[in-house]
Amino acid sequence: MIHKGINFRALVKNYKNGWIAISKKFDRVLYHGITLKETMKKTKNTKDRVYYFPVEKNYSHFVGTL
Amino acid sequence: MHTIKYSILPGLERTGVLAPVIPVTFKNSVYEFPTFALVDSGAEQGLISTVIADALHINWKSIPRKSGIATSGNFLFHPIKDITAVIFDYEFNLDINVVEGINAFKCILGRRDLFQKATIVFEGFKNKFKIEFRELN
């Protein structure tokens, strides 16, 4: 099975901070909250499968760059 | 066999670096937390941030703190035993380190966990990697 790469840049671009809940196809943001708790609360009653990711300007420390 | 294309992370545009990121759902008892992990052959053991650990209701503060060394410097962590990870319907148990003072998104799977459960082939020149989970009895 082939999976497309996730364009986190496109997913976070409309948000300044907080957490986003990304769709199971990883192509759109379904919910956003300032805190993780708030975001998870919004998804509580949904049947949508979501993946949580924090909004940051720079993820370079994720992979380590010079 | 799953083939996953590398992902685009903000802040790395200048370098053009894409990342081998994989969706993962961690489970601790009745608590679940779906997020994304960096697949890192350079990491001895997987790690998660305290934010992720709190979302999983892991009582990491009750585990004695240890110190470790990484290329980025020293770090403090709490070793957690036996949580569950689910990747593409493949479920496995792992030990993981909860690391203090790192960004909330920090979530890494490494040689002692994911790399024990799957054959992973990086094709950086194609910006993709392949993962095939082992059939274990």
Side-chain angles (χ1 to χ4, degrees), chain B residues 52-69:
Chain B
I52 294 174
D54 287 340
L56 286 163
H57 294 257
I58 293 172
N59 191 8
W60 56 271
K61 290 178 186 174
S62 69
I63 308 296
R65 179 192 287 144
K66 294 188 175 185
S67 64
I69 301 172

Side-chain angles (χ1 to χ4, degrees), chain A:
Chain A
M1 190 167 180
I2 297 174
H3 305 268
K4 282 169 33 174
I6 302 165
N7 190 341
F8 289 102
R9 194 168 66 204
L11 290 169
V12 304
K13 70 176 182 180
N14 293 328
Y15 306 95
K16 287 184 181 175
N17 51 30
W19 284 76
I20 53 176
I22 300 169
S23 66
K24 66 180 180 182
K25 288 188 178 179
F26 315 119
D27 58 354
R28 58 197 178 101
V29 175
L30 298 179
Y31 304 95
H32 169 260
I34 298 301
T35 65
L36 176 56
K37 193 174 178 180
E38 180 188 333
T39 308
M40 291 181 81
K41 195 175 176 183
K42 289 182 178 182
T43 67
K44 200 173 180 183
N45 295 320
T46 181
K47 290 180 183 174
D48 298 320
R49 177 71 170 165
V50 297
Y51 289 80
Y52 300 101
F53 199 65
V55 177
E56 305 268 349
K57 283 186 183 170
N58 191 323
Y59 295 83
S60 61
H61 290 291
F62 203 1
V63 295
T65 57
L66 297 175

Side-chain angles (χ1 to χ4, degrees), chain B residues 39-137:
Chain B
V39 178
D40 187 356
S41 62
E44 182 177 324
Q45 184 149 342
L47 66 88
I48 54 175
S49 67
T50 55
V51 175
I52 294 174
D54 287 340
L56 286 163
H57 294 257
I58 293 172
N59 191 8
W60 56 271
K61 290 178 186 174
S62 69
I63 308 296
R65 179 192 287 144
K66 294 188 175 185
S67 64
I69 301 172
T71 53
S72 54
N74 296 345
F75 61 96
L76 299 173
F77 68 98
H78 304 257
I80 306 296
K81 297 220 172 271
D82 274 335
I83 66 166
T84 302
V86 182
I87 299 173
F88 302 134
D89 296 327
Y90 184 89
E91 188 168 310
F92 61 99
N93 288 344
L94 72 159
D95 298 339
I96 204 157
N97 292 330
V98 176
V99 180
E100 294 184 25
I102 59 174
N103 297 91
F105 57 77
K106 277 287 183 89
C107 176
I108 293 173
L109 294 173
R111 298 196 304 276
R112 282 197 185 183
D113 33 83
L114 182 62
F115 284 78
Q116 298 297 315
K117 303 298 182 185
T119 298
I120 302 171
V121 177
F122 293 98
E123 294 183 329
F125 51 94
K126 293 182 182 178
N127 282 316
K128 66 180 181 182
F129 66 107
K130 297 176 184 177
I131 183 166
E132 185 167 24
F133 288 98
R134 298 167 61 196
E135 298 293 332
L136 298 170
N137 293 325

